[in-house]
Amino acid sequence: MKLKSTVALTASVILAAGTLASCSSAEDPTPTETSGTGSTTETAAFPTQWEDEITIDVFDGLANYMGMQGGWFAKVVKDKFNMNLNIIAPNVAGGGDTLYNTRVAAGDLGDLIVTDKGERMEELIQGGLLLDMSEYYPAMENVAVFDQAVQKLNDGTGGVYATPTSVSSILPTEPSEGLDPTFGPFIRWDLYKELGYPEISTLEDLLPVLKDMQDLEPKAENGQNVYALSLFKDWDGNMMVTGKQPTCFYGFDEIGFVLAKADGSEYQSILDSDSEYIRTMRFYYEANQLGLVDPESTTQNYDTLWSKFQNGQVLFSWWPWLGQSAYNTADHMAEGKGFEIAPLEDMQVFSYGAEAYGGKQVIAIGSQAEDPERIAAFVDWLYSAEGTYMNNSQTMGAAGPEGLTWEMGASGEPELTEFGQAVFLDGDATVPEEWGGGGYIDGTSTLNVSAVLPNDTDTATGYPFSYKFWPSYQALVETPLSEDWSAQMGGATTTMDYLRDNDKLLVAPGASFVVPTDTSEIETLRNQIKAIVVQYSWQMVFAKDDAQFESLLSELQSTADGLGYQQVLEVDMANAQAQNDARVAIAAEFAG
């Protein structure tokens, strides 16, 4: 059976962007290994009760909600720590660095901080805005399981100023994503089946198949036109974001203006005429010539696109967390309808290896926090099994509280309760009053960060924290859609199984590499160039004929060069090589 989530939740940009991570576990640290303050007072254990109620400000660079945490998660935190969480989210407050810079200038970013490691973490340490947790670290038994990652993160700081996120015991050469990769050519399988499962050798061979699929279903149930491809501009950056995605079907991922292959075997300038990026531009151009591209692509945003997927108006998805999450409802899958990965013969899908020393974000305590011990206890709880089940983002398969959404079954395996099935199979349910009441989804953690990778194994149950991996859940979601897909894919039960078994997966070892910050000169050049790249990319997709396409490409290349493209490319190529060197080193380090 093919495991699928039927909850229509928009995935966090962290995956598009982002990246899952991990590290290997290590022995508990000794106080002399962690103390950087010279303090003679260390906390050996945290209190089990906290008398005074407090409210802390949580500055969270990943949060998509601003205000007081509510619902069942708020009740859990209140009951355990007598603490309320006031979420301060720059994503909600207009985005950019304005809120961050304002609060940094005031000398108080927050009591609890979720932010980027690298330059930002270093900046906050140097500015005196982060607390050295060395005094509390001996009591942080759950965090200490991942001490190797903690020490690596804080190397050279003289203390313990932050804890890494997305840690786990998974090897860095293993995929971090779980049952589905981050990327892949996902198509409406029911229409593909109706065509008789035609062979698809290359990306270009998708076009006639998508054309036939669109001809089979030109109108959605809502009466709107159906298009094979629908694009959007929201996430465009160094390049057209939907132009970059198909390059990942062939083992590449972006680093600036470079496409770097997961195994380090190839590096491409995105503007080379034969690059995978330009190949994608030609793919979209050809698709548009065939009438397969939604004409609203240039004006719609991601939310509009999501609605179109929900309504069955789009037939191709670059990500499982778009097409499947939006369209693969229980009713659709029972009818045999839904998105599944296509058997593209020449693909080698890029996969993010589990990050050896944690992800790109960190958790820290603000230096102005009035009750740092209690916050340290809360941080430590986030790394516990209980905290992992309750805190992880719902798009990551968080199972929720034991006794509410799941329990250990008579077979000795974890399984969803009736309430859990209502939440994860039907979309939501009302929480019992003793758990805080309200809707379950509304009450989930708004921190939007995983301290421990959901794919990691709970040693108490022997199964991953994510309910999506549980055999009991897989049995629940077996459908005519999943059965047919499995039958055509050699009996594979998950997307990742199919890719692995058929040598169609390329894992980039998780090295926790951080791209150095651009100099002001390179940053200025990059901002000018990427605007031109994005502009011309969209124009090429909608070019009127081959001659105009080639003319636009030539003009883009010459214009970019005139703006200093080669200078920026040199920096990106060096960064891509450094990233691969780190991947090779981490793979060797964990090979034993």
Side-chain angles (χ1 to χ4, degrees):
M1 60 276 176
K2 184 82 162 67
L3 186 151
K4 289 284 174 277
S5 169
T6 61
V7 184
L9 294 172
T10 303
S12 161
V13 178
I14 293 175
L15 288 174
T19 315
L20 303 178
S22 75
C23 88
S24 70
S25 59
E27 296 180 0
D28 290 346
T30 63
T32 56
E33 290 175 321
T34 60
S35 178
T37 62
S39 172
T40 57
T41 302
E42 291 182 337
T43 302
F46 292 119
T48 56
Q49 293 184 349
W50 309 86
E51 288 189 12
D52 299 327
E53 179 180 349
I54 64 170
T55 297
I56 66 169
D57 288 338
V58 182
F59 185 91
D60 192 337
L62 299 178
N64 295 310
Y65 165 85
M66 191 155 176
M68 296 298 296
Q69 169 74 52
W72 63 264
F73 187 75
K75 187 176 189 304
V76 169
V77 175
K78 179 69 164 56
D79 290 347
K80 293 185 72 67
F81 302 99
N82 203 9
M83 185 166 68
N84 307 302
L85 307 178
N86 177 39
I87 310 297
I88 299 170
N91 287 342
V92 180
D97 293 332
T98 302
L99 183 60
Y100 171 84
N101 291 334
T102 299
R103 296 182 68 89
V104 167
D108 187 359
L109 187 58
D111 302 306
L112 180 65
I113 298 165
V114 179
T115 190
D116 300 338
K117 69 179 180 183
E119 183 184 24
R120 181 155 287 187
M121 175 181 160
E122 182 179 339
E123 174 184 84
L124 292 173
I125 293 173
Q126 292 178 349
L129 274 75
L130 299 188
L131 178 81
D132 181 1
M133 292 182 279
S134 296
E135 176 182 347
Y136 308 109
Y137 192 69
M140 300 175 77
E141 296 180 352
N142 298 301
V143 173
V145 171
F146 306 100
D147 178 65
Q148 190 173 355
V150 176
Q151 298 298 336
K152 183 77 170 181
L153 175 65
N154 290 278
D155 185 35
T157 67
V160 180
Y161 286 93
T163 58
T165 59
S166 297
V167 290
S168 88
S169 58
I170 301 173
L171 290 174
T173 50
E174 291 296 313
S176 64
E177 296 101 335
L179 299 170
D180 292 299
T182 304
F183 315 98
F186 290 81
I187 60 175
R188 272 282 299 279
W189 189 263
D190 49 304
L191 298 177
Y192 179 65
K193 173 184 179 181
E194 198 171 337
L195 293 176
Y197 314 104
E199 290 187 3
I200 309 173
S201 297
T202 67
L203 178 69
E204 290 72 20
D205 292 329
L206 263 174
L207 289 175
V209 175
L210 290 173
K211 178 68 166 64
D212 290 343
M213 289 168 60
Q214 185 172 308
D215 289 344
L216 281 176
E217 193 164 300
K219 295 285 185 179
E221 291 183 6
N222 63 2
Q224 298 299 309
N225 289 335
V226 170
Y227 291 96
L229 297 158
S230 193
L231 316 178
F232 69 108
K233 291 184 174 181
D234 299 31
W235 301 347
D236 288 352
N238 285 307
M239 63 195 85
M240 181 180 174
V241 70
T242 50
K244 175 256 181 176
Q245 305 313 311
T247 72
C248 301
F249 306 165
Y250 293 94
F252 291 91
D253 196 20
E254 67 179 301
I255 184 163
F257 294 129
V258 170
L259 293 175
K261 206 158 190 180
D263 60 1
S265 62
E266 188 176 356
Y267 306 96
Q268 298 180 353
S269 160
I270 63 170
L271 296 188
D272 283 352
S273 297
D274 60 351
S275 74
E276 289 295 318
Y277 181 74
I278 299 303
R279 176 188 183 185
T280 299
M281 293 298 101
R282 290 195 170 95
F283 171 78
Y284 287 146
Y285 161 72
E286 295 290 350
N288 188 55
Q289 294 296 303
L290 294 170
L292 303 182
V293 179
D294 184 352
E296 296 180 356
S297 294
T298 58
T299 57
Q300 69 187 0
N301 60 20
Y302 181 82
D303 290 339
T304 301
L305 179 64
W306 173 270
S307 296
K308 288 183 176 180
F309 272 95
Q310 283 183 309
N311 295 329
Q313 295 172 236
V314 189
L315 307 180
F316 176 88
S317 172
W318 315 271
W319 310 294
W321 42 267
L322 175 56
Q324 292 178 343
S325 295
Y327 188 79
N328 287 22
T329 63
D331 288 343
H332 281 151
M333 291 192 294
E335 296 171 3
K337 296 180 178 180
F339 284 84
E340 300 285 358
I341 198 166
L344 207 62
E345 290 182 11
D346 69 340
M347 68 181 172
Q348 276 195 305
V349 176
F350 182 99
S351 171
Y352 293 108
E355 297 283 357
Y357 294 113
K360 290 180 170 58
Q361 285 77 38
V362 299
I363 301 173
I365 300 174
S367 59
Q368 303 303 310
E370 294 185 4
D371 195 342
E373 181 182 29
R374 194 181 318 196
I375 300 173
F378 173 65
V379 171
D380 187 56
W381 176 77
L382 292 175
Y383 290 81
S384 70
E386 182 182 59
T388 299
Y389 281 119
M390 293 190 187
N391 173 64
N392 284 342
S393 167
Q394 291 309 298
T395 57
M396 297 298 295
E402 183 177 8
L404 177 62
T405 49
W406 70 278
E407 62 189 4
M408 293 301 293
S411 63
E413 298 179 1
E415 56 187 39
L416 297 178
T417 61
E418 289 186 10
F419 178 84
Q421 292 180 38
V423 169
F424 300 124
L425 299 182
D426 300 328
D428 206 355
T430 301
V431 176
E433 285 301 320
E434 61 266 30
W435 284 92
Y440 181 87
I441 300 301
D442 287 341
T444 56
S445 170
T446 57
L447 296 177
N448 200 28
V449 66
S450 296
V452 177
L453 199 66
N455 302 358
D456 204 25
T457 300
D458 178 4
T459 55
T461 68
Y463 291 88
F465 291 106
S466 171
Y467 67 86
K468 293 182 179 182
F469 288 83
W470 299 346
S472 59
Y473 175 77
Q474 295 182 29
L476 283 173
V477 297
E478 189 175 57
T479 66
L481 172 67
S482 64
E483 291 175 344
D484 185 74
W485 180 87
S486 178
Q488 295 299 319
M489 304 299 249
T493 57
T494 70
T495 306
M496 199 64 84
D497 284 343
Y498 164 74
L499 294 173
R500 278 173 157 165
D501 293 346
N502 292 275
D503 195 27
K504 296 182 182 298
L505 190 73
L506 207 58
V507 180
S512 303
F513 179 79
V514 178
V515 177
T517 303
D518 285 338
T519 64
S520 58
E521 179 187 9
I522 294 298
E523 181 182 14
T524 298
L525 294 177
R526 186 185 303 281
N527 288 337
Q528 294 174 338
I529 295 164
K530 70 182 185 182
I532 295 297
V533 171
V534 170
Q535 173 191 328
Y536 275 86
S537 294
W538 279 97
Q539 290 175 340
M540 284 189 287
V541 170
F542 291 97
K544 65 180 180 180
D545 53 33
D546 291 0
Q548 186 180 37
F549 180 96
E550 296 301 333
S551 176
L552 286 167
L553 173 57
S554 178
E555 190 175 335
L556 167 58
Q557 291 167 332
S558 60
T559 302
D561 280 344
L563 291 172
Y565 179 77
Q566 295 302 325
Q567 187 177 345
V568 180
L569 183 65
E570 183 178 352
V571 172
D572 292 342
M573 282 289 183
N575 289 338
Q577 184 61 62
Q579 175 181 251
N580 188 67
D581 290 344
R583 287 172 175 171
V584 170
I586 206 69
E589 180 180 345
F590 285 79

